[in-house]
Short mmCIF file of all heavy atoms in Angstrom, two decimals:
data_model
loop_
_atom_site.label_atom_id
_atom_site.label_comp_id
_atom_site.label_asym_id
_atom_site.label_seq_id
_atom_site.Cartn_x
_atom_site.Cartn_y
_atom_site.Cartn_z
N SER A 83 -32.24 -44.86 34.87
CA SER A 83 -31.81 -44.08 33.72
C SER A 83 -32.78 -42.90 33.55
O SER A 83 -33.80 -42.81 34.23
CB SER A 83 -31.82 -44.93 32.45
OG SER A 83 -33.16 -45.28 32.09
N ALA A 84 -32.45 -42.00 32.65
CA ALA A 84 -33.32 -40.84 32.41
C ALA A 84 -34.72 -41.29 32.00
O ALA A 84 -35.72 -40.77 32.50
CB ALA A 84 -32.70 -39.95 31.34
N ASP A 85 -34.80 -42.27 31.10
CA ASP A 85 -36.11 -42.76 30.65
C ASP A 85 -36.84 -43.47 31.78
O ASP A 85 -38.06 -43.30 31.95
CB ASP A 85 -35.95 -43.71 29.47
CG ASP A 85 -35.54 -42.98 28.19
OD1 ASP A 85 -35.72 -41.75 28.13
OD2 ASP A 85 -35.03 -43.65 27.27
N GLU A 86 -36.14 -44.25 32.56
CA GLU A 86 -36.77 -44.97 33.67
C GLU A 86 -37.28 -44.00 34.74
O GLU A 86 -38.38 -44.19 35.29
CB GLU A 86 -35.79 -45.96 34.29
CG GLU A 86 -35.47 -47.14 33.39
CD GLU A 86 -34.31 -47.97 33.92
OE1 GLU A 86 -33.50 -47.46 34.73
OE2 GLU A 86 -34.19 -49.15 33.49
N LEU A 87 -36.52 -42.96 35.01
CA LEU A 87 -36.96 -41.97 35.98
C LEU A 87 -38.20 -41.24 35.48
O LEU A 87 -39.16 -41.04 36.23
CB LEU A 87 -35.83 -40.97 36.26
CG LEU A 87 -36.17 -39.82 37.20
CD1 LEU A 87 -36.57 -40.33 38.58
CD2 LEU A 87 -34.99 -38.85 37.31
N ALA A 88 -38.18 -40.85 34.21
CA ALA A 88 -39.33 -40.15 33.64
C ALA A 88 -40.57 -41.03 33.69
O ALA A 88 -41.68 -40.56 34.02
CB ALA A 88 -39.03 -39.73 32.20
N ARG A 89 -40.42 -42.32 33.39
CA ARG A 89 -41.58 -43.22 33.44
C ARG A 89 -42.07 -43.42 34.87
O ARG A 89 -43.29 -43.51 35.10
CB ARG A 89 -41.22 -44.57 32.80
CG ARG A 89 -41.12 -44.54 31.29
CD ARG A 89 -41.16 -45.94 30.71
NE ARG A 89 -40.01 -46.74 31.13
CZ ARG A 89 -38.87 -46.81 30.46
NH1 ARG A 89 -38.72 -46.13 29.33
NH2 ARG A 89 -37.88 -47.58 30.89
N ALA A 90 -41.15 -43.49 35.83
CA ALA A 90 -41.54 -43.67 37.23
C ALA A 90 -42.34 -42.47 37.72
O ALA A 90 -43.36 -42.62 38.42
CB ALA A 90 -40.31 -43.88 38.10
N ILE A 91 -41.90 -41.27 37.36
CA ILE A 91 -42.62 -40.06 37.76
C ILE A 91 -43.98 -40.01 37.07
O ILE A 91 -45.01 -39.71 37.69
CB ILE A 91 -41.79 -38.81 37.42
CG1 ILE A 91 -40.49 -38.79 38.24
CG2 ILE A 91 -42.59 -37.53 37.66
CD1 ILE A 91 -39.51 -37.71 37.80
N GLU A 92 -43.99 -40.32 35.77
CA GLU A 92 -45.24 -40.29 35.01
C GLU A 92 -46.23 -41.32 35.53
O GLU A 92 -47.45 -41.06 35.56
CB GLU A 92 -44.94 -40.53 33.53
CG GLU A 92 -46.17 -40.41 32.63
CD GLU A 92 -45.84 -40.63 31.17
OE1 GLU A 92 -44.66 -40.92 30.86
OE2 GLU A 92 -46.76 -40.51 30.34
N SER A 93 -45.75 -42.49 35.95
CA SER A 93 -46.66 -43.53 36.44
C SER A 93 -47.41 -43.09 37.69
O SER A 93 -48.49 -43.61 37.99
CB SER A 93 -45.87 -44.82 36.73
OG SER A 93 -45.05 -44.67 37.88
N LEU A 94 -46.83 -42.14 38.43
CA LEU A 94 -47.49 -41.60 39.63
C LEU A 94 -48.31 -40.36 39.32
O LEU A 94 -48.93 -39.79 40.22
CB LEU A 94 -46.44 -41.27 40.69
CG LEU A 94 -45.59 -42.43 41.21
CD1 LEU A 94 -44.54 -41.92 42.19
CD2 LEU A 94 -46.46 -43.50 41.86
N GLY A 95 -48.29 -39.93 38.06
CA GLY A 95 -48.99 -38.71 37.70
C GLY A 95 -48.36 -37.48 38.33
O GLY A 95 -49.06 -36.49 38.59
N GLY A 96 -47.05 -37.53 38.57
CA GLY A 96 -46.38 -36.44 39.26
C GLY A 96 -45.43 -35.68 38.37
O GLY A 96 -45.43 -35.84 37.14
N ARG A 97 -44.63 -34.86 38.99
CA ARG A 97 -43.61 -34.09 38.25
C ARG A 97 -42.48 -33.73 39.20
O ARG A 97 -42.67 -33.54 40.40
CB ARG A 97 -44.21 -32.82 37.66
CG ARG A 97 -44.71 -31.83 38.70
CD ARG A 97 -45.21 -30.54 38.07
NE ARG A 97 -45.77 -29.65 39.08
CZ ARG A 97 -45.06 -28.80 39.81
NH1 ARG A 97 -43.75 -28.72 39.62
NH2 ARG A 97 -45.64 -28.01 40.70
N ILE A 98 -41.28 -33.66 38.64
CA ILE A 98 -40.10 -33.15 39.35
C ILE A 98 -39.35 -32.26 38.38
O ILE A 98 -39.01 -32.70 37.28
CB ILE A 98 -39.17 -34.28 39.86
CG1 ILE A 98 -39.92 -35.21 40.82
CG2 ILE A 98 -37.96 -33.69 40.55
CD1 ILE A 98 -39.05 -36.38 41.31
N THR A 99 -39.10 -31.03 38.76
CA THR A 99 -38.39 -30.09 37.90
C THR A 99 -37.34 -29.35 38.72
O THR A 99 -37.43 -29.26 39.94
CB THR A 99 -39.36 -29.06 37.27
OG1 THR A 99 -39.99 -28.32 38.32
CG2 THR A 99 -40.42 -29.75 36.43
N ALA A 100 -36.35 -28.82 38.02
CA ALA A 100 -35.32 -28.00 38.66
C ALA A 100 -35.16 -26.73 37.84
O ALA A 100 -34.94 -26.79 36.63
CB ALA A 100 -34.00 -28.76 38.73
N THR A 101 -35.26 -25.59 38.51
CA THR A 101 -35.22 -24.30 37.84
C THR A 101 -34.08 -23.46 38.40
O THR A 101 -34.08 -23.14 39.60
CB THR A 101 -36.55 -23.55 38.03
OG1 THR A 101 -37.63 -24.37 37.58
CG2 THR A 101 -36.54 -22.23 37.26
N PRO A 102 -33.11 -23.10 37.57
CA PRO A 102 -31.98 -22.30 38.07
C PRO A 102 -32.35 -20.82 38.15
O PRO A 102 -33.18 -20.31 37.39
CB PRO A 102 -30.91 -22.53 37.01
CG PRO A 102 -31.70 -22.72 35.74
CD PRO A 102 -32.96 -23.45 36.14
N GLY A 103 -31.71 -20.14 39.08
CA GLY A 103 -31.83 -18.70 39.19
C GLY A 103 -30.46 -18.11 39.43
O GLY A 103 -29.45 -18.80 39.33
N THR A 104 -30.40 -16.84 39.76
CA THR A 104 -29.12 -16.20 40.05
C THR A 104 -28.61 -16.55 41.43
O THR A 104 -27.46 -16.93 41.62
CB THR A 104 -29.23 -14.68 39.89
OG1 THR A 104 -29.60 -14.36 38.54
CG2 THR A 104 -27.89 -14.01 40.19
N ASP A 105 -29.48 -16.44 42.42
CA ASP A 105 -29.09 -16.65 43.81
C ASP A 105 -29.40 -18.05 44.32
O ASP A 105 -29.01 -18.39 45.45
CB ASP A 105 -29.79 -15.64 44.72
CG ASP A 105 -29.30 -14.23 44.49
OD1 ASP A 105 -28.08 -14.04 44.30
OD2 ASP A 105 -30.13 -13.30 44.51
N GLY A 106 -30.09 -18.85 43.55
CA GLY A 106 -30.44 -20.18 44.02
C GLY A 106 -31.05 -21.02 42.92
O GLY A 106 -31.28 -20.55 41.80
N THR A 107 -31.30 -22.26 43.25
CA THR A 107 -31.95 -23.21 42.34
C THR A 107 -33.13 -23.81 43.08
O THR A 107 -33.01 -24.22 44.23
CB THR A 107 -30.97 -24.33 41.92
OG1 THR A 107 -29.84 -23.73 41.26
CG2 THR A 107 -31.64 -25.32 40.98
#
Side-chain angles (χ1 to χ4, degrees):
S83 68
D85 289 341
E86 290 169 339
L87 176 61
R89 286 196 297 269
I91 296 171
E92 185 179 2
S93 71
L94 299 176
R97 63 177 176 85
I98 300 178
T99 61
T101 305
T104 299
D105 292 320
T107 300

